[in-house]
Amino acid sequence: MNYIKNIIRSITGLSIIFASYSCSDQKNQNIMTTQETSIFPKGNAAPKDWFTGEAFIHPLLAKDKNNDFALGSVTFEPGARTLWHTHPKGQVLIVTEGKGWYQEKGKPAQLIKKGDVINIPENVEHWHGASANTKMIHIAVTNYQGEENVTWLKPVTDAEYQEVNKK
Ligand code: MN
C-alpha cells in the first residue's frame, strides 16, 4: 500500500515539475511572440529633417493612377516624433502597435494606442509620435493634392514633448 502511495506521490511531484516547466516555456514563448508580432518590417531610418529621435519608414504603396495616397508603416522608438506639419488633403493613421501621441496645434495631445484610427483634417497643423517610454507603430494613409502630401514645419521641442508626457 505504501509503495503505491509513494508511486502516486512521485508521479504528482513529476507532474508539478513538468507543469511548471511548461508554464515557463509558455511564458518565454509569449515574450518572443510579443516581440515578433509587428505586421510589417521596420523599414529604413526616417529623414532627420522630418522626424526627431529614432523613427523608421517602411513604404507599403506609392500613389498611382487609382490611389491618390501613399501608404506606409512608421515605427517611432520611445521619444521619437514627427515635426509639426500639415497635409493638404488630410491623413489617416491606423495604430498597429504600442502607445503614443497625436496633437493638433492649440489643443491638448491625445493618447493613441494599438487599434486606434485617427482622421486628420486638411491643413491642420499637428504632430504624431511615440510616448516617452513606449514605442508606437502606425500605418499612415497620406492623401495627395497634386504632387504634394505634406508640408513640414518646426520640430516639436523637447519642452513641448515633455509637457505632453507629464500626463
Ligand atoms: Mn501627419
Side-chain angles (χ1 to χ4, degrees):
M1 198 60 191
N2 262 348
Y3 88 95
I4 293 176
K5 275 187 190 165
N6 282 340
I7 289 171
I8 291 171
R9 203 171 289 146
S10 55
I11 289 173
T12 311
L14 278 177
S15 306
I16 289 169
I17 290 166
F18 184 72
S20 56
Y21 269 116
S22 313
C23 274
S24 65
D25 274 357
Q26 189 69 46
K27 267 182 203 160
N28 286 338
Q29 244 168 26
N30 286 345
I31 289 165
M32 283 167 60
T33 309
T34 305
Q35 286 168 346
E36 291 167 8
T37 47
S38 295
I39 300 172
F40 300 111
K42 202 169 181 178
N44 296 317
K48 289 289 179 192
D49 42 355
W50 300 353
F51 292 80
T52 301
E54 297 300 310
F56 299 83
I57 299 178
H58 175 69
L60 294 169
L61 207 60
K63 173 181 184 289
D64 63 22
K65 65 184 172 59
N66 290 329
N67 303 312
D68 214 12
F69 55 81
L71 200 61
S73 178
V74 187
T75 298
F76 300 84
E77 296 296 344
R81 67 266 188 186
T82 65
L83 269 64
W84 287 100
H85 62 280
T86 60
H87 304 285
K89 295 291 278 179
Q91 181 183 52
V92 174
L93 305 177
I94 303 161
V95 182
T96 55
E97 199 169 318
K99 284 180 187 170
W101 299 106
Y102 166 66
Q103 185 174 28
E104 295 180 0
K105 197 83 174 178
K107 292 185 183 176
Q110 297 173 41
L111 183 68
I112 59 175
K113 59 184 191 311
K114 181 178 178 176
D116 287 349
V117 177
I118 300 104
N119 193 5
I120 304 170
E122 71 279 15
N123 300 317
V124 167
E125 190 172 341
H126 69 278
W127 65 271
H128 24 111
S131 70
N133 302 314
T134 314
K135 80 167 175 178
M136 191 270 284
I137 304 178
H138 67 47
I139 294 170
V141 185
T142 313
N143 301 305
Y144 278 82
Q145 183 173 58
E147 295 307 307
E148 304 300 322
N149 69 357
V150 61
T151 301
W152 295 107
L153 304 166
K154 290 178 180 173
V156 175
T157 64
D158 286 345
E160 284 174 316
Y161 186 71
Q162 280 159 17
E163 184 62 31
V164 163
N165 280 278
K166 274 184 194 166
K167 291 176 189 178

